[in-house]
């Protein structure tokens, strides 16, 4: 007689990423109608920098996470 002969299927899911890492980039700064040209240039430069930094980080994270999930699920 075997006490541990019953097989129980064990399924595990790929861990979910923290919500902070799955967030989209923040909104860019907006200008009012009476903004000086010098402030427009600073804001545009800041927006371009912020957007591209966030976009690169987020795209890389999402790609890495997707690849890791595919690898994990293919090993089952």
């Amino acid at each position: 007689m075997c006490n541990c002969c019953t097989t129980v299927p064990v399924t595990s899911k790929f861990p979910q990423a923290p919500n902070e890492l799955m967030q989209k980039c923040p909104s860019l700064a907006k200008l009012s109608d009476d903004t000086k040209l010098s402030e427009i240039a600073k804001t545009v430069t800041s927006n371009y920098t912020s957007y591209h930094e966030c976009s690169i980080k987020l795209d890389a994270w999402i790609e890495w996470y997707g690849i890791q999930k595919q690898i994990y699920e293919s090993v089952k």
Side-chain angles (χ1 to χ4, degrees):
M1 185 149 120
C2 180
N3 291 334
C4 296
C5 292
T6 306
T7 57
V8 178
V10 177
T11 58
S12 60
K13 294 182 180 178
F14 190 72
Q16 286 295 324
N19 286 335
E20 298 83 31
L21 294 175
M22 298 304 286
Q23 298 293 322
K24 291 191 176 261
C25 294
S27 298
L28 301 176
K30 295 183 180 182
L31 298 169
S32 61
D33 292 336
D34 61 344
T35 306
K36 295 179 182 180
L37 187 57
S38 61
E39 288 301 312
I40 292 173
K42 288 178 187 177
T43 303
V44 168
T45 302
S46 176
N47 280 346
Y48 268 101
T49 302
S50 295
Y51 176 78
H52 287 292
E53 285 176 353
C54 184
S55 177
I56 290 167
K57 289 177 187 176
L58 186 60
D59 290 347
W61 160 249
I62 291 171
E63 180 183 357
W64 178 86
Y65 181 79
I67 291 169
Q68 298 307 310
K69 186 174 180 178
Q70 282 181 334
I71 292 170
Y72 179 83
E73 290 173 351
S74 71
V75 172
K76 290 182 178 181

